[in-house]
Amino acid sequence: MKILQFPLMKITFWFILGIVFSYYFNPNPTTSFIITGIFFVPFIVTLYLSKRDFIQKIYFGFATYLLFFQIGSCTQVINNEFYDKENYVHLIKNETDYHYVELVLREKLKGSSSIDKYIGLVKRIDNKSCSGKILLQIHKTQDNCKIHIGNNIQIYGKCILSNKSLNPNQFDYGRYLNNKSIFAQIYTNTNTIKVSDKIDKNIWYYSDYLRNKIINNLKKSNFSKDELQVVSALILGQQQDISKEIIKDYQYAGAIHILSVSGLHVGFILLFLTFLLNPLPKNKLGYTIRLLTIIICLWGFAILAGLSPSVVRSVTMFSFVAVGMYLKKSTNIFHTLLVSMFLILFFQPSFLFDVGFQLSYLSLFFILWLKPLISDLWIPKNKIVTYFWEILTVSFAAQIGAFPLSIYYFHQFPVLFFITNLIIIPFLIIIMGLGVLVMVMAAFDLVPMITMKSLEICIFFLNKIINWVASFEQFIIKDIPINWQTLICLYLLIIAFVILFKKPTYPKIVVALFSLLLLQTTLLITRWKIQNQQEFIVFNSWKNTLITERNGDKVMVFGNEKTIDKLASNTSLKSYLITNNSSITRINKIQNLYYFKDKKIMVIDSFGIYSKEINPDIVILRQSPKINLERLIQVNRPELIVADASNYKTTIQLWKSICIKKKIPFHATAEKGFYRVN
C-alpha cells in the first residue's frame, strides 16, 4: 500500500492516536502541555542533526511521531470544554437544585411528537456569567410560544448532567452529548420560558432564517409534505421533521446515507458550479474568480446545511480538489483526503468519535483504494452498461469499507444496497441539479411551478423506489452481534485479502490466512466467554421492574404485566440480548425470592410483605413498599439494598439516608444504573 509510505499518513496516524489517548485517559492539561514542550526539544535536535537528509534518519522520524502524538493529545485537551473554568458545568453542584438559566438558541435538533429539542449557548446561570452548550428539551403544549434560532431566553429549571447509560450494553447517550461538549440538559415547557426581545443575529441566525424562508416558500407553493421532508434533508441537511417511516425505509433499503449531506452531495454541487462557471475566460483572472466562487459557494452550502461533520469533511476535501484544479496539477486524492482529515481533527478533534465522520472517511478511502481493482474485473464495451457498472463498483467498494463499522453500531445490514444505488444514483443526479436550482430561486421568493413540480415528482418516485426495496425485509440481516475486537479483526481480514488480490505472493497469502485465523479465534473466544457467563441483572426500567437471569446464551426474563406486554419494544433488553448473542427462553412474573449462585435475593413489592427468617444477601425494593427499612435491616441483616426505578424518588432518598446511617451499601438504579450479580 503506497499510501502507508506517505509521511503525512504516518503523522496523521500518530496524531489520531494522541487524540484517542487523551479522550480515554483524560490527562491533566498542564501535564500534557509540559510533555509536549519536552517532546519538542528532541524534535528540534534531531531535525538539526539530520540536516538535509533527515527523512532517512530513524531517530528524527521517531521524535516527529512522538511530538505529533502529544500534539494530538493536547488538541483534544484544548478542545475539551470541560476544562474551561468559565463553563457552566462547574456551577452545577446538585442536580436537584433549580437555576435561572439565560441562553441563546444555536441549533434545532430532531425532536418527537411531544418534545422539541434545541442546542443552546449558556450565557448566565443565577446571574453568574458563564459559557458552554446545553441541550434544551421543551414539552409541546397547545399554547406553544414561537422561538427561533438566535432568541435569548430565560428558564427556571434543573440542569441534569449528561450521565452514562443506565442499562447494560445500551447506547451511551451521555457520552454522545459529551463528545459534542454538551454536559447537561434542561427539561421544561413553554409556560416557563421567558423570551427576550434581544436576538443574536450571527451566522447561525441568518443560516436558520434562510433555510426557513426556503422551506416556507416551498410550503406556500403546495410542495407535498413527505417530498419536502426528503428534499430538505438532501439539499439543506435538515432531518428534524422527516418522518420515522421514511427514515426506516431508507435504512432498510441501504440508502440512509442519502439523507445525510456528504461527499456525494458536495461532489455534485462542485460539478454543477464548475459547469456554470465554464464560460469564464481561461486566464489567470478567470481561474481566480472560478476558484473563489467555488470555495465561497461550497462553504456557504456547509453553513446552510448546519456544519455537520460529514459536510465539513466533504467541503474541506473538495476545497482542496478545487485548489488543485486551479493550479492545474493532478493532486493525489489520498493526500487530499489526509490533509482534510488532519485539518478537521486539528480544529475539531471530537469529530473523530462521530459515527458519520468515521463512516464517511472509511467509505471514501475504500472507494479510492478498492474501486479501481473491482472495475478492472470487467470492462464493458457499451457506454450505458459502463455507467451502471461504475455505480455498482463504487457501491460495493463503499459498502465493503463501511459494513463492519455499520454492523458494529447498528447491528444490521441491508443486502439489497446495490440494487438501491443502481436505481437511485441517476435519480439523485437529476434531483441535486433541480434541488439546488429550486432552493436558490426559493431564497429569492421565486418558485417556478414547472421546476418545483419536476423536483416534487422526482422525489415522489425516489421515495416509492426506496419503499419498494425496503419492503423486502427478508433481505435485511438484523441483530448482528459484534464487539470491538471482532471489528478490528474484520478490517484486518478485508485489508489483507484486498492486498493479496492485487498481487498474490506467498507472504501475502500467509498474512491473509493468519488474519482469517485471527478472526475465527476471536469469534470462538467471544462465544466461549458468553457460554461460560452467568449473571443476574436488575434493569433501570422507569416506573417498571425488569429482572433477567442469564446462563450462557439463554435468558430468563422476570417482570410485571406492563413490562412483559412491552418486551418486544424494550430497546434496553434488545441491546443486551444482541450484544451477548442471547435469546429469551422463559418469561415469568416477578418472584419474591431468587437463588443465584451463592446469593439469596429477596424482592419486596408494594404489599411490603417479607419473611423475617430468610436472611437474604440482597434485598430488592420495588413499587415503593411501605416498610420500616431500619427494622428490615436489623432483622434480616442484608449485605446490600437495591431500589429499582419503579419506586418514588422521595422514597428512594429516604431509603438512601437510612442505609447511610446503618452503613449498608445502597444501590438506586435511577442514579447508578443497572445492578449486576455475577
Side-chain angles (χ1 to χ4, degrees):
M1 292 178 69
K2 292 183 179 180
I3 187 174
L4 295 178
Q5 300 173 8
F6 296 166
L8 182 60
M9 176 64 188
K10 299 173 184 178
I11 289 172
T12 304
F13 174 76
W14 284 92
F15 179 77
I16 289 174
L17 280 183
I19 294 174
V20 173
F21 172 82
S22 182
Y23 177 78
Y24 285 105
F25 293 98
N26 295 317
N28 181 275
T30 304
T31 305
S32 189
F33 294 142
I34 292 173
I35 294 175
T36 303
I38 294 173
F39 282 3
F40 191 72
V41 174
F43 170 76
I44 294 297
V45 173
T46 54
L47 176 62
Y48 175 76
L49 294 176
S50 296
K51 297 181 180 179
R52 295 183 179 178
D53 201 27
F54 66 89
I55 293 179
Q56 300 178 7
K57 305 300 181 180
I58 296 176
Y59 51 80
F60 173 76
F62 186 68
T64 302
Y65 300 148
L66 283 179
L67 177 62
F68 274 91
F69 173 88
Q70 197 55 37
I71 289 174
S73 178
C74 279
T75 302
Q76 173 64 18
V77 170
I78 292 170
N79 285 274
N80 189 344
E81 295 184 17
F82 185 83
Y83 294 118
D84 184 1
K85 294 180 180 179
E86 299 296 320
N87 195 285
Y88 68 88
V89 72
H90 303 298
L91 299 176
I92 302 173
K93 305 300 180 183
N94 194 329
E95 292 187 24
T96 60
D97 294 339
Y98 282 80
H99 302 276
Y100 283 101
V101 182
E102 295 179 42
L103 54 87
V104 58
L105 298 180
R106 162 61 63 85
E107 179 183 356
K108 186 176 182 180
L109 304 178
K110 184 174 178 59
S112 65
S113 58
S114 59
I115 293 177
D116 284 328
K117 292 184 179 181
Y118 295 88
I119 293 177
L121 299 182
V122 179
K123 290 187 171 182
R124 292 180 186 81
I125 288 186
D126 299 328
N127 292 322
K128 295 180 181 177
S129 296
C130 54
S131 62
K133 291 186 285 188
I134 197 165
L135 179 62
L136 176 61
Q137 303 205 40
I138 305 173
H139 293 276
K140 296 178 181 178
T141 59
Q142 292 182 350
D143 56 340
N144 268 348
C145 64
K146 293 290 183 180
I147 54 177
H148 303 282
I149 302 304
N151 278 142
N152 284 256
I153 63 176
Q154 186 182 80
I155 302 169
Y156 182 66
K158 298 178 182 178
C159 296
I160 311 298
L161 297 177
S162 302
N163 296 319
K164 64 178 183 179
S165 58
L166 299 177
N167 282 309
N169 312 120
Q170 192 178 32
F171 172 67
D172 197 337
Y173 189 59
R175 168 160 280 190
Y176 169 79
L177 291 177
N178 288 342
N179 288 342
K180 297 180 177 295
S181 298
I182 301 171
F183 301 114
Q185 308 175 53
I186 298 179
Y187 297 86
T188 185
N189 56 60
T190 52
N191 297 329
T192 62
I193 296 176
K194 294 182 180 179
V195 182
S196 170
D197 293 333
K198 182 182 177 183
I199 298 177
D200 285 14
K201 294 186 177 182
N202 50 28
I203 192 170
W204 304 99
Y205 167 81
Y206 288 109
S207 172
D208 182 71
Y209 173 79
L210 184 57
R211 283 197 302 266
N212 288 331
K213 182 180 180 181
I214 292 171
I215 293 172
N216 288 332
N217 282 335
L218 292 177
K219 285 180 179 178
K220 291 176 183 177
S221 302
N222 297 319
F223 204 103
S224 298
K225 183 180 178 182
D226 288 345
E227 285 70 36
L228 181 58
Q229 291 173 357
V230 173
V231 80
S232 295
L234 278 171
I235 311 297
L236 302 177
Q238 302 304 298
Q239 301 181 36
Q240 295 94 331
D241 300 320
I242 198 165
S243 67
K244 291 182 180 179
E245 291 75 19
I246 291 177
I247 290 178
K248 183 181 177 181
D249 283 345
Y250 276 78
Q251 286 176 337
Y252 282 8
I256 191 64
H257 60 282
I258 292 174
L259 296 180
S260 178
V261 178
S262 59
L264 182 65
H265 307 73
V266 178
F268 282 140
I269 291 173
L270 177 61
L271 291 174
F272 184 65
L273 290 171
T274 304
F275 172 75
L276 291 178
L277 297 171
N278 195 50
L280 289 173
K282 305 296 189 294
N283 53 31
K284 187 174 181 180
L285 178 62
Y287 284 122
T288 303
I289 295 173
R290 184 183 284 107
L291 175 65
L292 291 175
T293 303
I294 287 174
I295 291 178
I296 290 170
C297 288
L298 287 181
W299 282 102
F301 172 76
I303 294 169
L304 188 63
L307 290 174
S308 66
S310 59
V311 176
V312 171
R313 186 270 306 168
S314 303
V315 171
T316 302
M317 192 191 72
F318 280 105
S319 296
F320 279 97
V321 172
V323 172
M325 291 166 59
Y326 168 72
L327 296 174
K328 295 184 179 180
K329 293 182 179 180
S330 57
T331 56
N332 188 303
I333 193 64
F334 285 109
H335 275 140
T336 303
L337 194 68
L338 287 170
V339 169
S340 66
M341 179 189 289
F342 184 86
L343 287 176
I344 290 169
L345 294 180
F346 186 79
F347 292 103
Q348 286 291 342
S350 61
F351 279 10
L352 180 64
F353 308 100
D354 184 272
V355 179
F357 182 88
Q358 296 170 11
L359 288 172
S360 294
Y361 267 100
L362 276 170
S363 299
L364 192 53
F365 171 77
F366 272 86
I367 288 172
L368 298 174
W369 182 48
L370 186 56
K371 187 261 177 189
L373 186 64
I374 301 175
S375 296
D376 291 341
L377 294 175
W378 179 47
I379 303 176
K381 296 180 180 179
N382 186 285
K383 289 185 178 181
I384 297 176
V385 177
T386 301
Y387 172 76
F388 284 101
W389 174 241
E390 287 294 306
I391 294 174
L392 195 61
T393 55
V394 168
S395 299
F396 268 109
Q399 286 293 345
I400 288 171
F403 96 89
L405 199 64
S406 297
I407 60 176
Y408 176 73
Y409 283 118
F410 308 115
H411 304 292
Q412 67 178 29
F413 182 72
V415 178
L416 298 179
F417 70 89
F418 61 95
I419 294 178
T420 305
N421 287 312
L422 273 175
I423 298 173
I424 66 173
I425 291 298
F427 258 106
L428 199 59
I429 295 172
I430 299 170
I431 289 169
M432 288 299 297
L434 283 173
V436 171
L437 182 61
V438 169
M439 296 297 165
V440 171
M441 298 184 77
F444 292 97
D445 299 321
L446 299 172
V447 186
M449 189 59 63
I450 296 177
T451 312
M452 187 203 73
K453 283 299 177 184
S454 300
L455 177 61
E456 185 180 354
I457 291 169
C458 288
I459 296 289
F460 173 79
F461 281 109
L462 175 66
N463 287 345
K464 287 296 181 183
I465 293 168
I466 294 293
N467 179 261
W468 174 71
V469 176
S471 66
F472 297 96
E473 292 195 29
Q474 63 270 30
F475 292 100
I476 302 165
I477 306 174
K478 300 179 182 179
D479 302 340
I480 308 172
I482 180 174
N483 54 24
W484 67 268
Q485 297 95 331
T486 307
L487 175 68
I488 293 173
C489 290
L490 266 175
Y491 274 114
L492 289 175
L493 179 70
I494 292 171
I495 292 170
F497 270 89
V498 171
I499 293 173
L500 172 64
F501 191 69
K502 278 190 169 184
K503 190 177 181 181
T505 61
Y506 179 75
K508 291 178 182 178
I509 293 173
V510 172
V511 172
L513 292 177
F514 176 76
S515 63
L516 179 60
L517 180 63
L518 185 63
L519 175 61
Q520 292 176 325
T521 304
T522 303
L523 291 172
L524 287 172
I525 291 173
T526 302
R527 183 68 178 169
W528 180 83
K529 285 183 177 179
I530 290 173
Q531 291 294 339
N532 288 275
Q533 281 179 346
Q534 290 180 307
E535 57 185 15
F536 182 94
I537 294 180
V538 180
F539 280 72
N540 179 62
S541 183
W542 187 60
K543 290 188 177 181
N544 291 300
T545 298
L546 177 61
I547 298 172
T548 61
E549 185 178 331
R550 182 168 69 87
N551 188 356
D553 60 356
K554 298 177 177 60
V555 177
M556 289 188 291
V557 177
F558 303 90
N560 53 23
E561 291 183 3
K562 288 184 179 180
T563 306
I564 292 173
D565 290 341
K566 296 180 180 179
L567 277 184
S569 59
N570 192 312
T571 55
S572 299
L573 181 60
K574 185 178 181 180
S575 299
Y576 175 71
L577 294 173
I578 292 173
T579 304
N580 293 285
N581 197 15
S582 306
S583 59
I584 299 173
T585 55
R586 287 174 58 190
I587 300 174
N588 294 324
K589 291 187 177 181
I590 298 169
Q591 302 169 188
N592 292 324
L593 187 64
Y594 296 91
Y595 290 91
F596 183 77
K597 293 186 176 181
D598 58 343
K599 301 288 185 182
K600 284 188 290 186
I601 304 171
M602 184 169 69
V603 179
I604 303 176
D605 58 21
S606 58
F607 293 104
I609 300 172
Y610 63 92
S611 173
K612 299 179 181 180
E613 299 176 357
I614 294 178
N615 295 325
D617 299 290
I618 301 170
V619 172
I620 299 174
L621 303 173
R622 56 181 290 261
Q623 295 180 330
S624 303
K626 295 180 180 180
I627 58 172
N628 188 323
L629 188 59
E630 291 190 37
R631 185 183 301 166
L632 184 147
I633 293 172
Q634 185 177 357
V635 173
N636 288 276
R637 299 185 181 279
E639 298 176 0
L640 173 73
I641 304 291
V642 178
D644 71 6
S646 67
N647 298 287
Y648 296 123
K649 291 183 179 180
T650 52
T651 307
I652 291 174
Q653 292 301 318
L654 176 62
W655 290 338
K656 184 178 180 180
S657 62
I658 292 172
C659 288
I660 293 173
K661 178 182 176 182
K662 292 293 183 179
K663 297 181 180 179
I664 296 289
F666 180 76
H667 186 106
T669 62
E671 294 179 2
K672 299 180 180 180
F674 67 97
Y675 179 75
R676 175 190 280 133
V677 182
N678 51 20

